[in-house]
Amino acid sequence: MPELDQVCIRIYAALVRAPHSSAEDVGASTGFPPAVVREHLADLAQLRLVVHSVGRWSAADPRVAAHELLDPVEERLRAEHRAAGTALRRVAELRQAFMELDPLHREGRRIASRTGGVEVLIGRDAAGAAMLASALEAAAEMVVMHPPADPGGRALDQEAAQRDLAVAERGLRLRGLYAHTALPDLELRSHVDRLARLGGEVRTMATPFAHMVVFDDRVAYLVHQAGDEDGPDGTCTIVTRDPTVVRYLKDLFETAWRDGTPVQADERGYGEALDEVHRMVAELLAEGLKDETAARQMGVSVRSFRRHVAALNSGLGAESRFQAGVAAARSGLLP
């Protein structure tokens, strides 16, 4: 809908004083160029404040214009407002009902903790919902360790990203450990940049040894990807609230964190972890593994692994994998 600016008002006033005027007549009486007059007459016509007939313009009754143009809009907005109010009341009622169920849920967790402190969640959806609940309950921090993704898989899924942001946006400390080979993933790098702006910290290591999430030294999740027996998506998650076990898992994370390579926001590629990636490639070559097996251990595609091999050969001045192994040992890449 066009704006009713001062130029429009002056043109409308000119037509009130001199109905049935041409655009040129209005321009002569107002001092505006004919092109400006025509442009604003078009706006006034959309607002139904002028009428046009046989090349002449006249001012329309503003009360009629308001009735025809604005009354339907106002009625639609009032209806939307009533619907929004009803929806908000429904949301409030459901929220209250959910909160009334919370004591039952907490009692169930207390019973589970008294019977061993271990819970098994089958499937990604169950694990994702439980972790998000822990993220919303956390008071101090969350630490995350991600193993290498399967070749062709995603380094970070949507549920994990939502959980991380739920923690970081509340101002809690968040630390994440990923595999070096996950760094080029664009979705992960975008997520890392966003976390960095919220105070989150990310490091990488050669091969994270577990997929685990720990909240406040209070509850730990160990995620296992297996076969169909662990649910339709092959995911089984162990949840423990036993203080000794949680503390042990947190200590394992801290040891790995100290040895990790910090990831800088807005950095692309492997950054400071490139030497570690080359070391991994050299070690896998030294083991004599097939490309498919080595790529699976690194969490990259076979094509990416072969690109790493080619880059390593070039960097070492080697013409074959055997020469690369010898040169890697001499250069200190291999122990």
Side-chain angles (χ1 to χ4, degrees):
M1 188 178 298
E3 292 185 6
L4 188 60
D5 59 19
Q6 291 301 314
V7 177
C8 285
I9 293 173
R10 288 182 59 185
I11 292 173
Y12 180 83
L15 290 174
V16 169
R17 291 190 295 267
H20 309 295
S21 296
S22 66
E24 290 73 13
D25 295 336
V26 174
S29 64
T30 59
F32 296 129
V36 173
V37 172
R38 292 190 185 91
E39 179 183 347
H40 285 79
L41 282 171
D43 290 343
L44 287 166
Q46 287 190 53
L47 294 171
R48 304 192 185 186
L49 287 170
V50 296
V51 292
H52 181 251
S53 178
V54 197
R56 299 284 173 171
W57 297 88
S58 298
D61 189 327
R63 293 170 300 176
V64 175
H67 172 73
E68 294 179 345
L69 182 67
L70 301 181
D71 284 4
V73 175
E74 186 175 6
E75 179 56 35
R76 186 180 72 251
L77 291 175
R78 289 182 185 277
E80 292 174 355
H81 180 73
R82 289 193 295 270
T86 300
L88 286 172
R89 285 193 297 274
R90 179 58 177 158
V91 168
E93 292 169 358
L94 281 173
R95 186 180 297 278
Q96 179 63 31
F98 289 172
M99 293 304 100
E100 290 173 358
L101 293 174
D102 186 56
L104 292 175
H105 184 256
R106 291 179 181 274
E107 178 61 23
R109 282 171 32 181
R110 282 194 292 270
I111 293 173
S113 65
R114 289 198 298 268
T115 57
V118 173
E119 182 181 1
V120 179
L121 304 175
I122 302 299
R124 286 177 50 187
D125 290 345
M131 288 187 200
L132 184 56
S134 293
L136 295 173
E137 293 174 358
E141 74 164 347
M142 177 183 80
V143 300
V144 183
M145 180 181 290
H146 286 274
D150 292 331
R154 300 175 64 180
L156 181 75
D157 58 42
Q158 184 176 359
E159 292 80 5
Q162 182 182 15
R163 177 202 64 216
D164 291 355
L165 292 174
V167 170
E169 288 175 347
R170 292 173 55 214
L172 308 185
R173 188 183 187 193
L174 184 148
R175 291 180 289 162
L177 263 175
Y178 295 84
H180 292 321
T181 51
L183 281 174
D185 185 273
L186 294 180
E187 288 185 341
L188 177 61
R189 293 314 302 248
S190 176
H191 183 64
V192 168
D193 293 346
R194 189 171 180 183
L195 289 180
R197 289 193 290 272
L198 294 170
E201 304 169 71
V202 174
R203 294 184 182 182
T204 60
M205 59 185 297
T207 307
F209 47 81
H211 184 180
M212 67 178 183
V213 187
V214 182
F215 297 91
D216 286 349
D217 296 342
R218 181 181 54 82
V219 56
Y221 294 80
L222 288 171
V223 184
H224 174 62
Q225 281 303 124
D228 294 338
E229 68 275 9
D230 289 322
D233 56 23
T235 301
C236 173
T237 302
I238 305 299
V239 188
T240 178
R241 293 177 174 81
D242 183 276
T244 302
V245 177
V246 173
R247 184 68 255 175
Y248 173 74
L249 293 173
K250 180 67 178 303
D251 288 344
L252 289 178
F253 176 89
E254 296 293 356
T255 299
W257 179 258
R258 285 193 293 271
D259 295 334
T261 302
V263 177
Q264 304 300 323
D266 300 322
E267 183 180 68
R268 293 296 177 263
Y270 290 101
E272 296 180 5
L274 184 59
D275 287 345
E276 285 295 323
V277 173
H278 285 171
R279 188 188 306 277
M280 292 171 60
V281 173
E283 290 175 351
L284 292 170
L285 290 177
E287 293 177 19
L289 300 178
K290 293 183 178 180
D291 287 357
E292 292 77 8
T293 304
R296 192 178 308 112
Q297 289 195 20
M298 286 187 66
V300 299
S301 66
V302 174
R303 184 177 179 181
S304 293
F305 176 75
R306 288 171 178 165
R307 283 202 300 266
H308 287 309
V309 172
L312 179 64
N313 288 349
S314 176
L316 295 172
E319 297 181 358
S320 68
R321 295 190 177 195
F322 176 77
Q323 290 181 1
V326 174
R330 288 175 178 173
S331 67
L333 277 177
L334 293 176

